[in-house]
Amino acid sequence: MKMENPGNLILVIFGASGDLTSRKLIPALFSLKTQKLLPEKYAVIGIGRSQSSDEEFRKKMKESIISFSEDKNPDVGQIENFTGSLSYLSMDELSAESYEKLKSILAETDIIYGTDANYIFYMATPPSMYESISLNLAKAGLAEESSGFRRFIIEKPFGYDLESGRKLNRNLHELIAEDQIYRIDHYLGKETVQNLLVMRFANGIFEPLWNRNYIHRVEITSAESIGVEERGGYYESSGALRDMVQNHLLQMAGLTAMEPPSSMESNAIRNEVLKVFQSLQPIREADVPKQVIRGQYTGSTIRGECISGYRYEKGVAPDSRTETFVAIKFFINNWRWGGVPFYIRTGKRMPTRVTEIVIHFKRTPHHLFQRENGLLTSNQMIIRIQPDEGILLKFDMKEPGSGFNVKNVSMDFHYKDLADVRVPSAYERLLYDVMLADSTLFSRDDEIETAWKFIEPIQKAWEKNHEIKIYGYPAGTWGPANSNDLIEGCGLTWRYPCRNLTDDGLYCEL
Ligand code: BG6
């Protein structure tokens, strides 16, 4: 991370009694504190509806740091010192009157801490509250940047579809400028996602190969082993397409496919990602069944443990048609990628938690060597986003001995082998960047809308055409088997980093 101290500020967290605050935001802030990356003078005000005193809030946040901090033995003195700067305000975020009180508390806190009237507002609330909170802040005069800066952080989902995404942007723009808005896509905060830029644009060896002449196909998988857990209610109205594809997966595709930016300036990078989104070949509604496979996990037994199907999860309708798995084949219509299929898939209750980008290179034009099992392989570069972050290159070598037996081998780089380098958490990086006003790793309004535009025909086809199947897949497997039908080419399948859990146990190739 950059090692400069941001300017003094107050961070206001709406939704402070929620999970995001205790599991991610506060531990990330504490980690920045231990690295001396917080401003010299700062304060954090948590806002929620539930009643709590400052002391109770501090105690709860101390416990969160102990439970969720990446440092397994956080220093108690440092925790005390950090939580001393936290306070709590119980208020109804939807009532305009409460904001006068917030305004006076901010002014008082500013005097006590000397924070130069700089405020960051973090909306860790349900998305339906973003507009009202912003409006109330604006009405109270808290959005104007006359005395200090005002930054607004909002969490995905940014809308529900193209129309609501546009409306949210429009309404926010009536109150605040685009450069005051930081839309969090926490995948962009992941170190290995950012490393895509360095890997592609700091190394001369990849660029000549990174195009339709040498790449056969690109595969992006983001699999989770957990189900929807306590989030059934939210997930029912979201599904994998909105929850993961419209944002995280398309952003990863954007960084994989983009042209070199003219500089590392935030808009230079975001312009290139936007161009990729604008070049996505629209999927016609009629082609959705051919290019998109959706699935929903069903109950299964994994090593003797009964796992419930999605329809039995809390908050989920017993006849739900919400997808917990989606796989899409699409093309990027530009000079670099014309004709190269991109495959993306994501799912819950899969055999393991893994996010990876697989670049499948074309085979040699003439096959001189026969492999023992008769199968021809091609070179693959596997960019492992998580876990065990790193890069794996697979290629063929001669097996020692007589003849020319060919064996597929791997060259493997693990981020953890970089001695003494601690990989910062996504939220740590993103919070720090907002404090420094660096918006490179945040989604811009036009990116969001263009991504929704690509997703829209899929949403419409599913809404209108109930004939389009949703396939069940047993929890602990790689999704509906026919997701392999998407992959063009005889005998080709998705890469499976490990076997189905419902088979004979787990083994990983990673
Ligand atoms: C969130 C989704 O954005 O990303 C969740 O809402 C998902 O459903 C999560 O579990 C995955 O994030 P990560 O960092 O664990 O891969």
Side-chain angles (χ1 to χ4, degrees):
M1 276 218 264
K2 299 160 261 191
M3 298 299 274
E4 76 193 81
N5 274 103
N8 303 330
L9 57 87
I10 301 176
L11 173 66
V12 180
I13 305 178
F14 290 93
S17 34
D19 258 15
L20 180 66
T21 305
S22 49
R23 284 174 178 260
K24 302 283 184 192
L25 304 184
I26 295 293
L29 288 168
F30 174 70
S31 174
L32 290 173
K33 166 83 182 167
T34 58
Q35 295 166 76
K36 303 193 172 35
L37 291 174
L38 284 183
E40 189 194 337
K41 296 174 187 169
Y42 68 92
V44 180
I45 304 178
I47 294 184
R49 277 185 193 207
S50 50
Q51 293 295 330
S52 169
S53 66
D54 287 348
E55 264 329 299
E56 283 161 347
F57 182 60
R58 288 180 189 139
K59 183 165 173 279
K60 193 173 157 212
M61 294 303 115
K62 262 180 224 163
E63 286 158 12
S64 300
I65 294 172
I66 293 167
S67 310
F68 303 114
S69 164
E70 298 209 345
D71 178 353
K72 292 302 155 221
N73 278 314
D75 182 278
V76 180
Q78 277 191 324
I79 299 182
E80 292 287 339
N81 182 305
F82 168 71
T83 50
S85 60
L86 307 183
S87 58
Y88 184 83
L89 171 64
S90 163
M91 68 176 232
D92 176 1
E93 297 102 322
L94 299 179
S95 129
E97 290 86 72
S98 347
Y99 287 73
E100 286 308 317
K101 185 165 173 213
L102 173 62
K103 193 174 177 180
S104 60
I105 289 181
L106 278 168
E108 277 165 33
T109 313
D110 204 30
I111 294 170
I112 300 170
Y113 287 84
T115 40
D116 304 333
N118 291 322
Y119 308 149
I120 297 180
F121 302 107
Y122 197 123
M123 295 182 211
T125 60
S128 56
M129 294 168 77
Y130 298 161
E131 286 181 48
S132 312
I133 296 177
S134 309
L135 181 64
N136 287 333
L137 286 168
K139 276 193 194 154
L142 285 168
E144 283 159 35
E145 297 205 291
S146 47
S147 46
F149 64 67
R150 304 284 182 267
R151 297 179 191 148
F152 292 67
I153 309 181
I154 58 177
E155 278 282 337
K156 64 159 257 284
F158 316 110
Y160 181 78
D161 53 15
L162 178 59
E163 200 190 320
S164 55
R166 276 189 181 144
K167 182 169 163 280
L168 176 63
N169 281 336
R170 218 175 28 239
N171 290 347
L172 289 176
H173 288 158
E174 279 176 15
L175 308 168
I176 41 182
E178 175 62 22
D179 65 8
Q180 289 177 271
I181 307 174
Y182 294 77
R183 297 177 190 81
I184 289 225
D185 180 323
H186 78 280
Y187 266 58
L188 293 179
K190 291 186 192 274
E191 191 66 26
T192 32
V193 173
Q194 295 153 38
N195 187 45
L196 268 170
L197 293 174
V198 179
M199 198 203 72
R200 286 195 54 204
F201 304 128
N203 297 298
I205 55 170
F206 301 125
E207 176 55 23
L209 305 179
W210 211 262
N211 56 55
R212 63 190 304 279
N213 297 323
Y214 298 97
I215 292 180
H216 181 262
R217 63 189 191 279
V218 176
E219 197 181 309
I220 303 179
T221 290
S222 185
E224 292 181 272
S225 50
I226 53 170
V228 289
E229 304 198 296
E230 298 300 309
R231 298 167 74 223
Y234 151 77
Y235 203 83
E236 273 288 85
S237 62
S238 159
L241 187 68
R242 292 185 179 94
D243 189 46
M244 295 290 289
V245 176
Q246 189 271 347
N247 32 73
H248 308 325
L249 274 92
L250 284 184
Q251 283 289 347
M252 284 192 282
L255 293 174
T256 308
M258 70 190 257
E259 294 302 313
S262 54
S263 70
M264 282 305 284
E265 196 267 321
S266 106
N267 275 328
I269 295 175
R270 298 192 297 178
N271 287 344
E272 295 306 332
V273 173
L274 174 66
K275 281 192 218 158
V276 174
F277 290 177
Q278 288 168 333
S279 313
L280 292 170
Q281 182 176 298
I283 299 179
R284 293 179 311 148
E285 278 181 51
D287 290 334
V288 166
K290 279 187 271 165
Q291 285 183 243
V292 185
I293 301 287
R294 59 176 168 165
Q296 189 187 79
Y297 61 83
T298 55
S300 77
T301 307
I302 298 177
R303 296 199 210 99
E305 192 194 340
C306 283
I307 307 290
S308 303
Y310 175 70
R311 290 180 181 181
Y312 294 88
E313 302 276 16
K314 202 166 109 200
V316 172
D319 56 352
S320 169
R321 285 178 64 79
T322 300
E323 76 291 352
T324 60
F325 170 95
V326 62
I328 308 179
K329 169 186 177 182
F330 64 85
F331 292 91
I332 299 174
N333 284 343
N334 64 18
W335 278 61
R336 187 184 285 268
W337 297 110
V340 178
F342 277 66
Y343 301 97
I344 54 181
R345 70 176 165 171
T346 181
K348 297 220 180 261
R349 281 280 182 225
M350 302 194 82
T352 189
R353 175 176 183 251
V354 65
T355 299
E356 60 177 31
I357 300 168
V358 188
I359 310 293
H360 295 266
F361 290 94
K362 288 187 172 168
R363 289 180 182 148
T364 51
H366 174 59
H367 312 301
L368 284 172
F369 310 106
Q370 198 62 40
R371 288 170 60 86
E372 241 177 355
N373 57 11
L375 293 176
L376 292 168
T377 54
S378 61
N379 299 129
Q380 292 175 2
M381 176 186 259
I382 298 152
I383 303 162
R384 283 181 308 229
I385 304 297
Q386 65 187 20
D388 190 12
E389 295 80 357
I391 292 173
L392 183 74
L393 192 61
K394 294 188 143 228
F395 51 96
D396 283 346
M397 291 300 279
K398 179 184 175 302
E399 269 190 319
S402 61
F404 280 95
N405 284 339
V406 175
K407 190 176 169 60
N408 198 249
V409 297
S410 304
M411 218 154 73
D412 211 351
F413 161 73
H414 302 262
Y415 243 66
K416 61 176 183 297
D417 295 342
L418 288 178
D420 295 334
V421 176
R422 182 186 155 273
V423 178
S425 76
Y427 277 94
E428 209 176 306
R429 171 68 199 256
L430 295 174
L431 279 165
Y432 182 62
D433 281 2
V434 181
M435 293 182 198
L436 293 177
D438 181 347
S439 53
T440 313
L441 302 175
F442 297 85
S443 311
R444 212 171 51 188
D445 52 354
D446 46 7
E447 287 176 81
I448 300 285
E449 291 180 21
T450 319
W452 277 125
K453 204 166 162 192
F454 175 68
I455 295 296
E456 189 175 50
I458 308 176
Q459 293 177 307
K460 289 212 161 138
W462 287 352
E463 264 162 39
K464 286 192 220 156
N465 184 353
H466 291 279
E467 304 282 285
I468 300 178
K469 291 200 169 65
I470 174 156
Y471 299 92
Y473 64 95
T477 65
W478 283 103
N482 62 342
S483 60
N484 273 321
D485 299 345
L486 293 178
I487 314 266
E488 252 176 65
C490 179
L492 298 183
T493 66
W494 293 89
R495 187 181 118 83
Y496 293 109
C498 69
R499 279 195 196 162
N500 288 336
L501 281 181
T502 43
D503 278 350
D504 49 353
L506 177 70
Y507 85 84
C508 275
E509 218 186 78
L510 287 180

